[in-house]
Structures are given as structure tokens and as C-alpha cells.
Amino acid sequence: MLIVTYVFSFVFALLSAALLFTWWRQRHSGALLLAVTYATAAALALMFQAWWPLVIGFLSAWALRLLGLDPGAAQRQDKP
């Protein structure tokens, strides 16, 4: 189970890096919030060597996306 936690932490860290790059290019505040959420979840999962920070991080990121804070939300709202 620990290997799965490491793999998902690595994926969360990659998502965080991609979202940080998106924030740097577009200055979308939601991308920065999502990047911090994913990075925090990955760091806590590695620190505690547990899976539950990843679940909480994923649910938090999903809540931010439902609030419309993901970078693609504005583009989807403009389309008819």
C-alpha cells in the first residue's frame, strides 16, 4: 500500500507542477489554489506515509473545481 501512496503522491506533485506552470502563464488564481492543494496533499501523504491526505486533497480539489476555480472553467462558460 505504501508504494501506491508514493505513486499517487508523485502524480499529485506532477499535477501541482503543471498547475503552477498554468498559473505562471495565465495568472489564474484558481490554478494557484489547485496547485497548492495538490502539493499539500502530496507532501502530507509522504510525511505521514498514509493514503488519507491524498483523498482529502482530491476532494478539496474537486470542491474547488465545482466552485469554478479551475483554469478551464471560464472557457467552458463562454461556449454556447
Side-chain angles (χ1 to χ4, degrees):
M1 187 65 177
L2 191 58
I3 293 174
V4 175
T5 303
Y6 284 144
V7 168
F8 278 107
S9 294
F10 180 72
V11 170
F12 273 40
L14 283 178
L15 282 171
S16 176
L19 284 164
L20 264 172
F21 181 71
T22 301
W23 172 77
W24 180 66
R25 296 280 310 253
Q26 298 177 358
R27 298 294 182 199
H28 191 279
S29 60
L32 183 62
L33 284 172
L34 284 169
V36 169
T37 301
Y38 281 125
T40 304
L44 287 174
L46 291 175
M47 232 172 32
F48 293 138
Q49 294 183 350
W51 56 268
W52 57 267
L54 296 172
V55 173
I56 292 173
F58 179 77
L59 293 176
S60 299
W62 191 258
L64 288 172
R65 288 178 190 264
L66 287 177
L67 290 173
L69 292 175
D70 62 341
Q75 294 172 352
R76 284 193 298 270
Q77 290 175 353
D78 292 340
K79 293 183 180 179

